[in-house]
Amino acid sequence: MKRFLFLLLLVCQLVNLSAQNTTYFYGRDKVQSKNETAALYSVQIFDDYTYVTIELVPTKNRSRMTFFTSPFTYIQAESVKLPFLGALSSDGTSYHSCTAYENWGWENVKKGEAYHYTLVFSGRIPAGITNFSLIDDYSEYHGYCFRNYTVNNPNTNATTYDEVSVRQNIDMNNDGIVGIYEGINEQGYKLGCIKHDNTYYFIYLGSKTNKSWWKVGDVKAILRPSATAGLFKADWYMEDKSTNSDVYVIFERGQMKTIMPNEETGYLKMYPSSSPSNANTPSREAQKWSGSGFALFNGYITTNYHVIEGAKSIYIKGIKGNFSIPYEATVVASDKHNDLALLKINDNRFSGFGNIPYRVKIATADVGEEIFVLGYPLTTTMGDEVKLTTGVISSKTGFKGDVSLYQISAPIQPGNSGGPLFDGQGNLIGIVNAKHTQAENVGYAIKTSYLQNLIESVTSSSILPNNNQVSEMALTGKVKTIKNFVYMIECSNQPSSSNNRASYNAYNTNNNDITVNNPIYAAVRNNGALKITQVQVSDNYTKIKFEYTNLYASDGWCSIDPSAYIISNDTGKKYSMIRAEGIPTSPQAHYFSRQYEKLYFTLIFPALPKNTAQFSFIETEDSEWRFYNIKLQ
């Protein structure tokens, strides 16, 4: 019942917030002058303007009655001050200045009849402010003033949430996005991101600057999902509670960023805590982040230490240009001081990188040499296609004269970390690791001699590629040849379900192993085709691996419903999905770039009881992604 009441309250709020043209009526205190009586008649509040209408009633018949207001008029509502723009024209399409010298008014007015004029002010009175004054303080002449009125201006953003109930919602819906975030700008909003009926809301919990009209529990934003995981558009309620629907919200690696025209604000996630003191406490929060890396011989990959720091599972995507298959990797060696990590792919599906076309050059490059960078920056907004930037070696030393670094002019962004730095001939001369946040197009890269030192500390055989096959190519040819050896490194603070591979009893299934009561339908979404390739059962998990083929010529997509489950045919007990790997959960979706493209993904469920003979997989009762009577041998 509590969830229903909250939903009903939010629906009512959305209706109220969209009704911007409501007229708010006030008390009828009047200002008496010699020739007329003036009263504050009405106020209309819009997103960008506030209209105040004044009523004049002549006390006698007059040939002419005028109205005027000085340019120094303003609205004062608590600490909010709205400047005067002018008087609204009679047809309501424009506004004009109305000083005493302009003689605005009416001819042949009648005693006792009401005449109205409307003043226009920039901005809005924020919802929840109920005190109001119209002030004209100009000493030479001024119009009517109305002080200390009470406005019927309810707080339409209000909910019953406080920080305690926000934390309770986060604990129940902890998916890595919900949490309490604090802004790092001067306003310093403290916002609780909660999830209700598959919709995310930001709840106002405080700020560094006192805004009396913002109350704890007010809705600050309503998020709308995009086709990219972690990226949302938002209906964002600004400081004055006007609506801005052109706001983007990005969640990535325990941080949040809001992007609106001419403004970008970062937020730190403060709850749930991931501090070392809680390291041994089970947490439902899953955080993912990504960087870049590149191939060395024998399945080795280089990236930055800070990319894999804190990761309990690491996956490599983009091998041979295929982003649908993530390959599991482990850390072989790391150098925290020089920000380097050496990984090796540990996945039985891996068949090698192919012929690596570049040479790792150890000699120091010269200032002025042309360079280019490849990597995967800001994948939540820029996609998973490799990105190229170019520039020159600006200095042989890095930040504060660090001799282990180059300073480069090629633009780099978060996600470029760990990517390769090439000279103009296509020799690999550095590993990108940092951007100077206080300067334009100033980045840093670790010299390859430090990578050589790390490699020699853990392996006696050389794994550094030494054959440059691209030196005579144009830049376009170099990029086309090299890009399949530059990879996206995806990390998570959650352990891989296959970390203890030896503990699994693997049950391979094929079409002969699956007895079907009903036909096995793959999702009819875009005429796709789905099949199970393997089932793995351990004491802790049941893993089902799938292959999905997009048979649609264009616009193919797929996702998995988070309510998917398996059911034991022996006991009839249901086991809900724990997580999905390699496929988004709805309402997010994976979009295919071509017909017949394949997607390989794995769904993780609780362990089936030992000696289970058959089980069934059902996405939802309405879905055609259903497999019945899957045999376990």
Side-chain angles (χ1 to χ4, degrees):
M1 179 61 72
K2 182 177 180 180
R3 289 170 61 85
F4 172 76
L5 290 176
F6 176 67
L7 176 62
L8 181 62
L9 178 59
L10 284 176
V11 170
C12 293
Q13 290 165 354
L14 293 177
V15 171
N16 289 336
L17 286 169
S18 65
Q20 301 295 341
N21 294 339
T22 303
T23 299
Y24 298 87
F25 291 92
Y26 291 76
R28 301 296 295 175
D29 294 342
K30 297 177 174 59
V31 178
Q32 192 69 45
S33 70
K34 180 179 179 181
N35 296 315
E36 67 265 354
T37 299
L40 186 63
Y41 181 73
S42 69
V43 172
Q44 292 175 282
I45 301 175
F46 302 87
D47 260 356
D48 299 317
Y49 304 100
T50 298
Y51 289 3
V52 178
T53 299
I54 296 172
E55 180 181 86
L56 297 181
V57 179
T59 56
K60 59 184 178 180
N61 293 331
R62 298 172 59 192
S63 60
R64 176 73 183 175
M65 183 171 64
T66 61
F67 68 88
F68 56 86
T69 298
S70 84
F72 303 96
T73 304
Y74 59 91
I75 288 175
Q76 188 74 52
E78 292 191 12
S79 60
V80 177
K81 187 174 181 179
L82 306 182
F84 176 58
L85 294 177
L88 192 67
S89 62
S90 58
D91 60 6
T93 61
S94 61
Y95 51 84
H96 53 78
S97 62
C98 52
T99 66
Y101 307 109
E102 292 175 284
N103 201 32
W104 294 100
W106 304 268
E107 303 288 345
N108 300 317
V109 298
K110 305 297 182 184
K111 176 182 177 180
E113 291 186 5
Y115 298 82
H116 301 91
Y117 65 95
T118 299
L119 306 180
V120 182
F121 297 84
S122 178
R124 60 171 289 143
I125 303 172
I129 291 183
T130 58
N131 64 340
F132 169 89
S133 295
L134 174 65
I135 301 172
D136 187 347
D137 278 342
Y138 190 46
S139 59
E140 181 179 352
Y141 64 86
H142 62 78
Y144 291 106
C145 297
F146 301 91
R147 298 177 184 269
N148 301 320
Y149 277 60
T150 299
V151 60
N152 177 23
N153 186 28
N155 182 8
T156 52
N157 295 64
T159 73
T160 58
Y161 270 94
D162 56 16
E163 186 162 342
V164 172
S165 54
V166 163
R167 287 173 181 257
Q168 290 172 344
N169 180 283
I170 293 167
D171 292 340
M172 290 188 297
N173 298 286
N174 195 350
D175 57 3
I177 289 180
V178 297
I180 294 177
Y181 296 83
E182 291 186 8
I184 59 177
N185 63 354
E186 65 277 3
Q187 291 183 321
Y189 282 114
K190 183 179 182 181
L191 303 177
C193 181
I194 65 168
K195 189 175 184 181
H196 182 80
D197 285 352
N198 292 320
T199 298
Y200 293 100
Y201 299 87
F202 281 138
I203 303 299
Y204 177 82
L205 298 176
S207 65
K208 293 179 182 177
T209 56
N210 181 32
K211 300 174 179 64
S212 60
W213 57 95
W214 276 100
K215 309 295 183 184
V216 171
D218 286 357
V219 175
K220 182 64 177 172
I222 304 170
L223 307 189
R224 307 190 304 275
S226 72
T228 303
L231 174 63
F232 296 79
K233 283 201 76 173
D235 292 321
W236 190 275
Y237 299 109
M238 307 297 288
E239 182 177 354
D240 63 358
K241 293 192 173 178
S242 60
T243 308
N244 185 348
S245 297
D246 193 23
V247 177
Y248 294 88
V249 179
I250 301 173
F251 297 90
E252 194 168 44
R253 200 176 181 180
Q255 299 182 44
M256 180 184 75
K257 182 187 296 183
T258 61
I259 302 173
M260 56 187 73
N262 303 316
E263 183 179 342
E264 186 174 304
T265 303
Y267 288 77
L268 296 178
K269 192 172 190 178
M270 307 304 294
Y271 182 84
S273 173
S274 57
S275 62
S277 61
N278 294 329
N280 297 321
T281 303
S283 173
R284 298 172 59 195
E285 180 182 20
Q287 295 180 3
K288 294 183 179 181
W289 62 94
S290 66
S292 301
F294 56 89
L296 305 177
F297 287 147
N298 303 333
Y300 286 94
I301 290 173
T302 296
T303 188
N304 287 145
Y305 174 83
H306 78 258
V307 170
I308 55 88
E309 184 178 13
K312 293 184 179 179
S313 60
I314 303 170
Y315 288 92
I316 313 300
K317 295 179 69 174
I319 294 177
K320 297 180 180 178
N322 189 338
F323 287 85
S324 63
I325 304 178
Y327 292 89
E328 191 169 359
T330 56
V331 179
V332 176
S334 62
D335 179 352
K336 184 175 182 179
H337 177 73
N338 290 307
D339 197 18
L340 287 171
L342 185 64
L343 314 178
K344 189 171 185 181
I345 292 180
N346 181 26
D347 196 306
N348 56 21
R349 297 169 299 171
F350 177 63
S351 60
F353 296 128
N355 188 12
I356 299 176
Y358 48 79
R359 168 190 172 222
V360 176
K361 181 180 176 182
I362 304 302
T364 302
D366 289 326
V367 173
E369 282 196 45
E370 293 184 351
I371 50 94
F372 64 94
V373 170
L374 294 174
Y376 297 92
L378 299 173
T379 55
T380 55
T381 55
M382 298 174 69
D384 59 8
E385 183 180 355
V386 72
K387 303 300 185 298
L388 166 73
T389 57
T390 61
V392 297
I393 298 289
S394 304
S395 173
K396 292 184 181 182
T397 59
F399 187 68
K400 295 185 177 180
D402 188 340
V403 296
S404 69
L405 302 175
Y406 292 115
Q407 179 181 316
I408 60 175
S409 65
I412 58 175
Q413 302 293 341
N416 274 122
S417 295
L421 171 71
F422 296 96
D423 65 15
Q425 286 71 48
N427 297 305
L428 198 152
I429 61 171
I431 303 94
V432 174
N433 82 320
K435 173 186 178 180
H436 198 308
T437 59
Q438 304 299 318
E440 289 293 326
N441 297 338
V442 175
Y444 301 104
I446 307 154
K447 295 173 182 175
T448 49
S449 58
Y450 293 86
L451 172 61
Q452 183 184 44
N453 293 339
L454 176 63
I455 291 172
E456 291 177 349
S457 71
V458 294
T459 178
S460 58
S461 61
S462 175
I463 59 173
L464 295 176
N466 53 16
N467 183 17
N468 187 338
Q469 304 166 28
V470 299
S471 60
E472 301 301 320
M473 296 180 181
L475 180 59
T476 54
K478 288 183 174 71
V479 173
K480 186 175 181 179
T481 304
I482 292 173
K483 68 178 183 179
N484 285 347
F485 301 88
V486 181
Y487 307 127
M488 187 187 302
I489 315 295
E490 289 195 341
C491 302
S492 172
N493 65 345
Q494 300 296 302
S496 167
S497 58
S498 58
N499 277 352
N500 300 313
R501 289 176 180 271
S503 68
Y504 281 96
N505 298 313
Y507 298 90
N508 293 317
T509 67
N510 54 47
N511 289 336
N512 295 325
D513 296 325
I514 302 176
T515 304
V516 185
N517 289 340
N518 298 311
I520 298 179
Y521 291 104
V524 178
R525 310 166 186 170
N526 303 329
N527 298 322
L530 180 74
K531 66 179 181 181
I532 293 176
T533 61
Q534 190 181 57
V535 176
Q536 295 179 322
V537 181
S538 76
D539 292 336
N540 300 313
Y541 301 101
T542 300
K543 296 178 61 174
I544 309 177
K545 297 187 176 183
F546 295 86
E547 176 185 296
Y548 176 74
T549 304
N550 173 44
L551 300 182
Y552 201 67
S554 62
D555 299 329
W557 65 274
C558 69
S559 65
I560 189 71
D561 193 289
S563 60
Y565 64 92
I566 58 176
I567 182 170
S568 168
N569 290 16
D570 300 330
T571 65
K573 184 176 179 180
K574 291 183 179 180
Y575 300 85
S576 297
M577 184 176 71
I578 298 173
R579 67 178 183 275
E581 296 178 350
I583 186 173
T585 55
S586 57
Q588 311 297 324
H590 173 84
Y591 292 86
F592 294 94
S593 59
R594 61 185 183 276
Q595 191 176 22
Y596 304 121
E597 182 181 346
K598 294 182 183 296
L599 177 70
Y600 298 89
F601 62 94
T602 302
L603 304 183
I604 317 297
F605 301 86
L608 286 165
K610 291 183 177 180
N611 302 319
T612 298
Q614 293 181 337
F615 73 97
S616 300
F617 163 78
I618 298 172
E619 182 187 25
T620 67
E621 300 299 330
D622 298 328
S623 170
E624 292 190 39
W625 277 13
R626 292 176 289 173
F627 292 81
Y628 296 93
N629 301 330
I630 303 169
K631 285 184 178 180
L632 295 177
Q633 297 177 343

